[in-house]
């Protein structure tokens, strides 16, 4: 029962990927549990974030090898600014180290970097490292590695709605005629499609303001594994689980 709750149905826990059933095109991950991973080892929380960064590299390569089209990773939420300054500073330095060491491999793997979030309040060094990585990988045509950095779902819906209303006015259309497509076209994930599968690590069963609009019909996969312990096998298990879901979108 407990296993089932976390999506790991014992009937196929050891089975393999099916060649017939498609894999998710867009996988989104709430990478949670870095702090708890560190605490268990009597290490500072930042040690968990550092290890988590290595897992991002591993899972990016693995997702790319499986032919996943988009991998969206929740790296920093608009609410994470509430954390102690030391931790926030560390988290804002991580992209610098990540891209400095990883961009050559990303290019080799044909992975294109994208960012989704409010760029305004990012420190200059963080923003520069991300923008350099976007520039260096802009020609890549394989996996899109999309970082949600300073991202919040409600704020995104609000900004998209405001932008859509402005556009309607400019086009001489009545703002009352606003459609879902108008809002969709102004989301930060524009062009990437909605996630087919959302994974959250570390046993927390909530969205924490992540992609509220886009996750309307996504499949959810929860695992108790802390993000720094997340392995290729865990990602594979989520893929197998996904292949055993039946997506109905309200129909029969
Ligand atoms: C996820 O791990 C990383 C970020 C939110 C940046 P946490 O730092 O939330 O780890 P826990 O949830 O405290 O264990
Ligand atoms: C969500 O995790 C944000 C990221 C993984 C970046 P949190 O750890 O911030 O979420 P809560 O506070 O447990 O809801
Ligand atoms: Mg957390």
């Amino acid at each position: 029962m407990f296993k089932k709750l976390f999506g790991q149905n014992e009937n196929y826990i050891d089975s393999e990927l099916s060649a017939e059933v498609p894999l998710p095109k867009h996988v989104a991950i709430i990478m949670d549990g870095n702090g708890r991973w560190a605490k268990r080892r009597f290490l500072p929380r930042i040690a968990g974030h550092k290890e988590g960064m290595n897992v991002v590299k591993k899972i990016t390569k693995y997702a790319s090898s499986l032919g996943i089209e988009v991998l969206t990773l929740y790296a920093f939420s608009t609410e994470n600014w509430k954390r102690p300054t030391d931790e926030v500073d560390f988290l804002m330095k991580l992209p610098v180290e990540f891209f400095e060491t990883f961009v050559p491999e990303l290019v080799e793997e044909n992975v294109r970097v994208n960012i989704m979030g409010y760029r305004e309040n990012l420190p200059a060094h963080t923003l520069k490292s991300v923008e350099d990585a976007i520039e260096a990988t802009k020609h890549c045509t394989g996996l899109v590695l999309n970082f949600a950095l300073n991202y919040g779902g409600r704020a995104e819906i609000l900004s998209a709605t405001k932008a859509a209303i402005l556009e309607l006015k400019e086009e001489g259309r009545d703002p009352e005629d606003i459609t879902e497509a108008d809002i969709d076209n102004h989301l930060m994930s524009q062009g990437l499609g909605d996630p087919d599968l959302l994974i959250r690590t570390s046993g927390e069963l909530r969205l924490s303001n992540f992609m509220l609009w886009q996750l309307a019909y996504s499949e959810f996969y929860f695992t108790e594994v802390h993000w720094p312990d997340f392995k290729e096998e865990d990602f594979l298990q989520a893929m197998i689980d996904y292949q055993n879901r039946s997506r109905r979108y309200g129909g029969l």
Side-chain angles (χ1 to χ4, degrees):
M1 178 62 201
F2 193 63
K3 262 185 185 169
K4 270 202 179 117
L5 237 181
F6 285 92
Q8 291 165 353
N9 186 327
E10 48 279 89
N11 292 332
Y12 47 87
I13 193 163
D14 289 317
S15 68
E16 289 177 4
L17 273 184
S18 154
E20 279 85 53
V21 188
L23 285 174
K25 286 186 182 164
H26 185 165
V27 178
I29 308 182
I30 303 178
M31 311 181 287
D32 200 13
N34 294 352
R36 277 163 281 174
W37 179 92
K39 195 176 172 199
R40 258 194 202 173
R41 285 161 179 75
F42 305 102
L43 295 168
R45 290 179 56 85
I46 56 169
H49 297 314
K50 178 118 182 157
E51 191 54 32
M53 181 185 82
N54 295 327
V55 176
V56 169
K57 293 182 179 177
K58 209 163 57 184
I59 297 303
T60 299
K61 284 198 234 171
Y62 188 57
S64 163
S65 75
L66 288 176
I68 304 295
E69 292 176 18
V70 183
L71 180 65
T72 294
L73 301 177
Y74 203 6
F76 193 90
S77 77
T78 45
E79 287 71 38
N80 287 146
W81 297 106
K82 293 179 198 161
R83 295 189 179 196
T85 322
D86 283 1
E87 183 170 343
V88 170
D89 286 350
F90 186 84
L91 287 168
M92 287 299 152
K93 275 185 204 123
L94 266 188
V96 180
E97 188 185 338
F98 176 80
F99 289 121
E100 250 172 31
T101 53
F102 200 43
V103 161
E105 271 182 77
L106 288 173
V107 172
E108 204 173 302
E109 291 270 339
N110 198 23
V111 174
R112 181 164 71 82
V113 175
N114 191 64
I115 175 185
M116 179 172 90
Y118 293 91
R119 299 188 187 201
E120 310 78 88
N121 4 26
L122 292 176
H125 57 273
T126 313
L127 188 59
K128 186 176 183 318
S129 73
V130 175
E131 285 180 339
D132 288 352
I134 292 172
E135 181 63 24
T137 61
K138 68 176 181 197
H139 62 284
C140 297
T141 54
L143 174 78
V144 177
L145 177 59
N146 180 37
F147 282 101
L149 192 59
N150 195 22
Y151 172 86
R154 286 190 176 181
E156 178 192 36
I157 294 172
L158 191 60
S159 318
T161 309
K162 283 183 184 168
I165 290 173
L166 205 67
E167 191 183 69
L168 284 160
K169 283 185 179 161
E170 278 167 12
E171 290 172 355
R173 289 159 65 199
D174 186 345
E176 292 257 341
D177 295 336
I178 188 166
T179 63
E180 286 189 13
D182 288 318
I183 294 178
D184 219 83
N185 288 336
H186 289 93
L187 294 174
M188 293 169 173
S189 59
Q190 196 211 3
L192 299 177
D194 295 339
D196 300 293
L197 176 69
L198 170 79
I199 299 173
R200 183 166 188 155
T201 60
S202 212
E204 241 50 91
L205 306 178
R206 56 175 171 262
L207 286 179
S208 304
N209 204 14
F210 189 51
M211 300 188 93
L212 301 178
W213 178 282
Q214 298 90 332
L215 292 171
Y217 266 106
S218 310
E219 296 297 324
F220 286 13
Y221 181 89
F222 296 104
T223 170
E224 286 183 282
V225 176
H226 296 315
W227 178 250
D229 279 334
F230 195 78
K231 307 249 173 334
E232 285 94 338
E233 300 90 90
D234 298 303
F235 190 84
L236 179 64
Q237 195 53 55
M239 297 303 109
I240 294 168
D241 203 287
Y242 175 84
Q243 288 190 321
N244 285 278
R245 305 283 178 96
S246 153
R247 302 185 75 184
R248 288 188 288 276
Y249 301 96
L252 293 180

